[in-house]
Amino acid sequence: MDEKKSKVLIIGATGNLGYHLAQFSLKFSHPTFVLVRDSAPNDPVKAQKLQSLSNCGATLIKGSLEDEKSLVGAVKQVEVVICSIPSKHVLEQMVLVRVIKEAGCIKRFIPSEFGADPDRIQISDMDYNFYLRKAEIRRLVEAEGIPYTYICCNFFTSYLLPSLVQPGLKTPPRDKIRVFGDGNVKAVFVKEQDVAAFTICSMDDPRTLNKVLYLRPPGNVYSMNELVEIWESKIGKKLEKIYVPEDELLMKIKETPYPDNMQMIFIYSAFVKGDHTYFDIDSHSGAEGTQLYPNVKYATISEFLETLL
């Protein structure tokens, strides 16, 4: 007999990842509630997503992170809260944390992270507080004693990979390619749908309680040199590699105004500093998703690159 599935509230369900989170929550038979702002039905794309979720059995609840009363009403109906909002808005979760604390019924909170581990990155002096804001929410959650899981999936495949990590390009190059650093530092890419599946698997799992769930799926952890090699084998042609040393990349970041330099900052973080992979996962504070959930099927980088041909 399957144990009772937790009721879950998803905040940000019309976003790219949020929509997949809601879909997988429903697919895995969780009673699924979706917070909907008043303005969402006016946007045809969002309206269509909400209609589709509603047709699949999701309960739509009017409310937003700015409306504390609506949050209280929504949170009191569920046991798990998952937040998936744009990074620039992460501090707006402060009200949500307070509401969760006061409601007292939440068994697990998954705040809006879904990137590199903000407590492990080595670029905190140059990322315009991108990761500091996420770390700030972590400290608040921990101080309030709210049960949590943090999801660190590193990069989505939709970010940087469609150009084979070439800022300014929309598709992978077929002649010359810039390789940052020495090209041997490994980074991680995971498809949004797969991040959502691992997230939903983790939310009722005692093994992920008060831990970080890292995603480092075999077949999705590669260096730039390896990415180039995979791409070359697919197009049947060698590319001319132009190596961009660390100091040159740092200079380019400095010369480029914010926010246009963020892509290069993330490249520096992942492919030069190794922020996705430089540390071993500590079993006291973390776990790796594909080891906990070997049955979750996920798209590999090679399969993703196949779609770009």
Side-chain angles (χ1 to χ4, degrees):
M1 176 69 188
D2 212 20
E3 61 202 82
K4 191 170 134 302
K5 298 271 190 173
S6 287
K7 295 189 207 122
V8 61
L9 172 68
I10 294 173
I11 298 170
T14 55
N16 196 357
L17 175 66
Y19 185 55
H20 294 305
L21 286 164
Q23 285 179 312
F24 275 103
S25 176
L26 290 161
K27 188 178 167 186
F28 295 157
S29 310
H30 288 276
T32 303
F33 297 75
V34 167
L35 199 68
V36 183
R37 354 169 116 253
D38 280 340
S39 60
N42 305 333
D43 175 326
V45 176
K46 289 181 177 179
Q48 194 182 358
K49 285 180 172 180
L50 292 169
Q51 186 60 55
S52 160
L53 292 173
S54 174
N55 292 347
C56 294
T59 304
L60 308 184
I61 304 179
K62 266 207 188 330
S64 75
L65 287 175
E66 295 90 68
D67 175 0
E68 189 166 342
K69 196 161 163 266
S70 70
L71 278 182
V72 172
V75 166
K76 284 191 166 161
Q77 299 186 57
V78 299
E79 296 139 308
V80 174
V81 176
I82 305 178
C83 196
S84 169
I85 57 175
S87 305
K88 57 178 179 284
H89 297 304
V90 292
L91 290 180
E92 291 171 23
Q93 295 175 105
M94 284 181 166
V95 181
L96 177 61
V97 171
R98 187 168 72 235
V99 167
I100 288 173
K101 171 74 173 172
E102 285 167 9
C105 57
I106 298 304
K107 299 191 308 195
R108 195 79 59 100
F109 175 41
I110 299 180
S112 198
E113 285 215 3
F114 306 105
D117 186 339
D119 289 336
R120 297 282 200 165
I121 55 118
Q122 308 164 89
I123 55 157
S124 55
D125 52 337
M126 60 186 287
D127 69 348
Y128 302 90
N129 295 333
F130 181 90
Y131 289 109
L132 186 70
R133 293 192 288 266
K134 295 183 176 191
E136 205 175 314
I137 294 297
R138 281 190 176 192
R139 301 297 83 84
L140 188 61
V141 168
E142 291 153 9
E144 294 291 12
I146 293 168
Y148 65 82
T149 300
Y150 305 138
I151 310 288
C152 291
C153 57
N154 301 300
F155 286 149
F156 295 143
T157 47
S158 61
Y159 188 72
L160 292 172
L161 202 53
S163 69
L164 217 60
V165 198
Q166 303 297 295
L169 292 190
K170 293 269 185 280
T171 53
R174 293 189 173 236
D175 39 20
K176 297 182 176 136
I177 188 159
R178 284 169 298 165
V179 176
F180 298 96
D182 64 8
N184 295 324
V185 177
K186 291 179 194 280
V188 183
F189 292 88
V190 187
K191 205 170 176 179
E192 282 95 329
Q193 285 96 315
D194 302 333
V195 173
F198 284 111
T199 302
I200 300 300
C201 286
S202 75
M203 71 186 201
D204 276 340
D205 188 344
R207 297 173 298 175
T208 57
L209 176 62
N210 298 337
K211 288 191 177 176
V212 182
L213 183 74
Y214 295 97
L215 296 185
R216 293 180 180 176
N220 292 47
V221 184
Y222 287 119
S223 68
M224 276 206 78
N225 285 332
E226 290 169 325
L227 288 175
V228 172
E229 213 170 283
I230 295 168
W231 182 241
E232 286 175 335
S233 73
K234 289 193 186 299
I235 61 172
K237 177 183 170 193
K238 285 266 178 255
L239 299 181
E240 182 195 335
K241 288 187 196 165
I242 300 156
Y243 283 90
V244 179
E246 179 173 350
D247 53 354
E248 195 181 315
L249 178 58
L250 285 171
M251 185 58 77
K252 194 109 179 78
I253 288 169
K254 223 184 177 128
E255 290 165 357
T256 309
Y258 173 82
D260 299 342
N261 57 3
M262 283 308 286
Q263 260 198 349
M264 288 184 287
I265 290 168
F266 289 128
I267 290 171
Y268 176 71
S269 159
F271 286 103
V272 177
K273 300 299 282 183
D275 282 345
H276 296 178
T277 54
Y278 77 87
F279 58 93
D280 292 326
I281 296 168
D282 170 10
S283 59
H284 296 294
S285 59
E288 198 283 317
T290 56
Q291 290 177 1
L292 290 188
Y293 314 112
N295 298 334
V296 173
K297 294 262 181 290
Y298 61 87
T300 63
I301 284 180
S302 176
E303 288 163 354
F304 177 81
L305 292 178
E306 202 67 39
T307 66
L308 304 178
L309 288 169

